[in-house]
Amino acid sequence: MAGKPKLHYFNGRGRMETIRWLLAAAGVEFEEQIFHTKEDLEKLRKDGSLLYQQVPMVEIDGMKMVQSRAILNYIAAKHNLCGKDPKQRAFIDMYCEGAMDLNEMIMMLPLKPADTKEKELATILEKATTRYFPVFEKVLKDHGQDFLVGNQLSRADVQLLECILMTEELKADILSKFPLLKAFKARISNIPTIQKFLQPGNQRKPPPTEKSVAAAMKIFY
Ligand code: GSN
């Protein structure tokens, strides 16, 4: 039997966090090899472990996988989290890409110059409430089901929950005009594997701080 997946990344959320979420939701235990220095990253590069010299890298089922989307696709396919036919998958992919676009804006916020951060934050909140969340609210309203696609848990539900929680960290009442998303958040958070991941002390990473961002920057630049 293959061992636990091993995640190679720095000590932060970045592009690995959604991978942590998806593994946890699928009930897969995983290990983390956190690197703290440029030298640790160089070592991985030198031993040929990184196809494009980049992380995230996940050792899984005898592969050293890179490219966060490829990794997510593999985990989702393996654990039946991408729908039951190509059409369901098409919708799941569209919802995931929307959630990832919003996540990426949030992920990049700490890297923006200090004098643009406030404006950037306002743009993110505006996009969340006028572009992304209305789509998901409408999907849930139109079909009246518990999950976004096909009336069963998919990666879209997991990735949307991650996205909602990240956006709430920026503005706690961001869901105030989205009652169905509020109920969705409670419902998906209650799935036992996800509930476990949300417990303090689990493998979910905390939001970035000035200190953690500076430490990550030192590794890559
Ligand atoms: O999605 C992906 O995994 C890739 N398309 C991008 C991965 C990436 O940009 N990795 C950064 C680390 S910070 N993001 O997670 C990276 O390894 N940068 C160093 C480099 O030489 O590009």
Side-chain angles (χ1 to χ4, degrees), residues 9 15 45 53-56 67-68 220:
Y9 206 56
R15 290 193 166 83
R45 285 177 168 150
Q53 315 304 319
Q54 292 179 314
V55 288
Q67 287 292 355
S68 49
F220 293 103

Side-chain angles (χ1 to χ4, degrees), residues 93-122:
D93 286 348
M94 285 193 280
Y95 300 153
C96 286
E97 290 297 326
M100 282 176 103
D101 283 352
L102 182 53
N103 268 6
E104 178 129 346
M105 285 190 259
I106 297 173
M107 187 172 80
M108 291 302 175
L109 184 61
L111 305 179
K112 301 283 176 188
D115 59 345
T116 66
K117 266 190 196 156
E118 209 174 307
K119 191 162 171 264
E120 205 48 54
L121 173 63

Side-chain angles (χ1 to χ4, degrees), residues 50-68:
L50 306 178
L51 199 58
Y52 300 111
Q53 315 304 319
Q54 292 179 314
V55 288
M57 190 272 274
V58 176
E59 289 184 68
I60 183 166
D61 297 338
M63 299 179 281
K64 288 185 174 175
M65 286 200 77
V66 295
Q67 287 292 355
S68 49

Side-chain angles (χ1 to χ4, degrees), residues 52-212:
Y52 300 111
Q53 315 304 319
Q54 292 179 314
V55 288
M57 190 272 274
V58 176
E59 289 184 68
I60 183 166
D61 297 338
M63 299 179 281
K64 288 185 174 175
M65 286 200 77
V66 295
Q67 287 292 355
S68 49
R69 281 180 165 76
I71 298 165
L72 289 166
N73 290 344
Y74 179 72
I75 297 164
K78 185 173 170 183
H79 296 283
N80 194 25
L81 291 167
C82 45
K84 60 177 188 312
D85 59 41
K87 261 197 183 164
Q88 284 193 354
R89 173 147 186 185
F91 282 94
I92 289 166
D93 286 348
M94 285 193 280
Y95 300 153
C96 286
E97 290 297 326
M100 282 176 103
D101 283 352
L102 182 53
N103 268 6
E104 178 129 346
M105 285 190 259
I106 297 173
M107 187 172 80
M108 291 302 175
L109 184 61
L111 305 179
K112 301 283 176 188
D115 59 345
T116 66
K117 266 190 196 156
E118 209 174 307
K119 191 162 171 264
E120 205 48 54
L121 173 63
T123 305
I124 293 171
L125 298 177
E126 224 260 323
K127 285 258 162 68
T129 49
T130 63
R131 175 171 293 181
Y132 296 105
F133 289 172
V135 169
F136 302 123
E137 182 83 4
K138 183 170 185 312
V139 169
L140 293 170
K141 184 162 189 245
D142 286 352
H143 65 34
Q145 295 167 350
D146 284 352
F147 304 100
L148 284 170
V149 179
N151 211 14
Q152 64 168 25
L153 183 72
S154 77
R155 63 181 288 189
D157 303 301
V158 179
Q159 291 184 229
L160 177 57
L161 177 61
E162 182 198 3
C163 182
I164 288 172
L165 297 182
M166 275 177 74
T167 316
E168 283 185 330
E169 286 170 356
L170 302 178
K171 190 172 188 291
D173 67 348
I174 193 89
L175 290 186
S176 60
K177 298 210 169 79
F178 301 96
L180 298 182
L181 281 183
K182 252 192 203 171
F184 171 88
K185 176 191 150 189
R187 204 161 53 236
I188 305 299
S189 298
N190 267 327
I191 292 171
T193 51
I194 294 179
Q195 198 180 42
K196 189 172 162 209
F197 187 58
L198 292 172
Q199 303 278 316
N202 225 288
Q203 282 164 298
R204 192 176 166 223
K205 296 288 177 199
T209 59
E210 268 182 34
K211 203 171 152 208
S212 72

